[in-house]
């Protein structure tokens, strides 16, 4: 590894890595040399947002001690890039402690912009209502600081009764449709969705469900050329599958596996974006820790290709990753 002023060049081949690299200073520029793109800390559950010529990448942060199985996740990380290869790590803009009603588990999340404000939907463990819950934080900048937008959870376990286990309210993904209506999708075991009010901090109507084959968790909703795509973690260990619809409310037609099991991570969690004319599949694997990858995960990026009929080609996971966008 070669470090110059605010520049970190990651030169260690993937096969040689057995643990996370040394910490770096906030605002350090990272030149990714392949997958995983971040190697000085563990990053999981990626969510990406394109805003004003940059990609903002938000991730969970696996902090379990080496060889420990089980999630240890206290905060979320934030990186930005103008070209998909040069990433700046910003100081962590959000921690479970920013939600006074939450007690642990900074799990999967997504940020979206509306009218110049940035809304960050997160899954955490609720302090007083048993089970997981979804909160929302807000900021005037994609880099934060973010603050709890409500002072209470947006979704709690007592609001969703289809799944009987208490960790079903996780993995929020959000979209604003062309008519301005925002929707939140989420869920473990059951894929829930609901409309959001224009203020982005309240549900607007009933919580509904979508039936998807072998649905586990990690929904990601996106739109491309008039199709709505609902991708999700399929079975366990998790592959990523997807379904398509012409209408955001469905019906969604299952289209098959999009990505295979990502090496030694029993979970996967994807973000799909278009940036400067190319499409990207952002996910995590356990490549940095061969014997405990499921709880020491790292974000990877590979290309995603659509077929003419709107279906998506199966993702090819690579160690080389993607090239710098000009
Ligand atoms: O990171 C914790 C959980 O693991 C996420 O919420 C799931 O999507 C899975 O990746």
């Amino acid at each position: 590894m070669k470090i110059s002023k605010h520049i970190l060049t990651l030169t260690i081949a993937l096969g040689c890595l057995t643990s996370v690299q040394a910490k770096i200073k906030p605002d350090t520029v990272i030149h990714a040399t392949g997958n995983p793109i971040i190697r000085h800390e563990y990053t999981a559950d990626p969510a990406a947002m394109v805003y004003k010529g940059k990609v903002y990448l938000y991730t969970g942060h696996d902090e379990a001690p080496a060889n420990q199985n089980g999630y240890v996740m206290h905060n979320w990380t934030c990186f930005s890039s103008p070209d998909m290869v040069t990433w700046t790590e910003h100081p962590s803009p959000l921690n479970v402690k920013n939600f006074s009603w939450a007690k642990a588990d900074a799990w999967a999340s997504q940020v979206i912009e509306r009218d110049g404000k940035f809304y960050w939907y997160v899954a955490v463990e609720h302090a007083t209502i048993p089970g997981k819950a979804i909160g929302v934080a807000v900021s005037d900048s994609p880099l934060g600081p973010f603050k709890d937008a409500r002072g209470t959870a947006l979704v709690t376990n007592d609001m969703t009764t289809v799944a009987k286990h208490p960790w079903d309210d996780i993995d929020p993904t959000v979209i604003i449709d062309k008519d301005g209506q925002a929707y939140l999708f989420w869920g473990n075991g059951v894929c829930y969705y609901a409309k959001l009010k224009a203020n982005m901090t309240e549900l607007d109507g009933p919580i509904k469900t979508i039936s998807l084959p072998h649905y586990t968790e990690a929904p990601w909703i996106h739109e491309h050329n008039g199709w709505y795509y609902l991708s999700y973690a399929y079975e366990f260990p998790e592959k990523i599958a997807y379904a398509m619809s012409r209408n955001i409310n469905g019906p969604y037609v299952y289209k098959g596996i999009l990505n295979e099991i990502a090496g030694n991570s029993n979970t996967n969690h994807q973000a799909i974006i278009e940036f400067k004319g190319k499409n990207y599949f952002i996910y995590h694997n356990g490549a940095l820790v061969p014997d405990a990858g499921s709880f020491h995960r790292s974000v990877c990026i590979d290309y995603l290709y659509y077929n003419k009929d709107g279906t998506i080609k199966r993702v090819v996971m690579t160690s080389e990753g993607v090239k710098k966008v000009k």
Side-chain angles (χ1 to χ4, degrees), residues 44-45 60 62 71 73 106-109 123 132 170-172 188 217-219 233 236 238 265-269 284 294 297:
D45 302 327
D62 278 340
Y71 298 122
M73 305 179 79
W107 283 16
S109 71
K132 291 283 184 285
I170 63 169
D171 293 0
N188 174 292
E217 57 185 3
F236 195 87
E238 294 173 350
S265 172
N266 59 20
T267 65
N268 214 320
H269 199 117
H284 66 223
S294 293
R297 299 164 291 179

Side-chain angles (χ1 to χ4, degrees), residues 113-265:
E113 183 267 346
R114 180 166 209 156
D115 299 333
K117 287 196 181 296
F118 299 84
Y119 297 89
W120 195 337
Y121 298 84
V122 303
V124 292
E125 180 74 16
H126 201 284
T128 56
I129 301 171
K132 291 283 184 285
I134 293 173
V136 54
V138 64
S139 174
D140 293 329
S141 159
L143 305 181
F146 282 83
K147 63 174 190 199
D148 186 357
R150 292 170 49 96
T152 59
L154 175 63
V155 179
T156 50
N157 186 42
D158 51 351
M159 293 164 63
T160 54
T161 52
V162 181
K164 302 302 174 201
H165 56 288
W167 63 93
D168 57 329
D169 296 299
I170 63 169
D171 293 0
T173 178
V174 61
I175 189 171
I176 301 172
D177 203 2
K178 292 179 193 112
D179 62 2
Q181 178 64 58
Y183 294 81
L184 183 73
F185 294 69
W186 73 97
N188 174 292
V190 173
C191 184
Y192 298 107
Y193 80 108
K195 287 181 180 172
L196 287 166
K197 291 188 179 169
N199 65 16
M200 300 298 276
T201 62
E202 292 173 83
L203 299 188
D204 191 8
I207 295 173
K208 299 180 181 173
T209 63
I210 296 179
S211 177
L212 297 163
H214 302 273
Y215 176 85
T216 303
E217 57 185 3
W220 179 267
I221 180 81
H222 79 279
E223 187 270 342
H224 177 80
N225 281 350
W227 286 104
Y228 296 91
Y229 295 84
L230 193 47
S231 52
Y232 61 95
Y234 172 107
E235 295 182 336
F236 195 87
E238 294 173 350
K239 302 171 187 180
I240 300 300
Y242 77 107
M244 291 167 64
S245 178
R246 281 293 190 191
N247 187 310
I248 199 161
N249 291 286
Y252 283 87
V253 178
Y254 178 70
K255 292 293 175 181
I257 301 299
L258 186 51
N259 195 34
E260 300 292 344
I261 295 170
N264 64 339
S265 172

Side-chain angles (χ1 to χ4, degrees), residues 26 35 68 71 76 109-110 160 218 230 271 278 281 285 299 302:
N35 284 325
Q68 176 178 308
Y71 298 122
W76 293 268
S109 71
Q110 187 179 347
T160 54
L230 193 47
K278 291 196 184 309
F281 184 80
N285 68 18
V299 168
D302 278 301

Side-chain angles (χ1 to χ4, degrees), residues 23 67 317:
K23 293 267 180 218
N67 300 319
M317 290 182 278

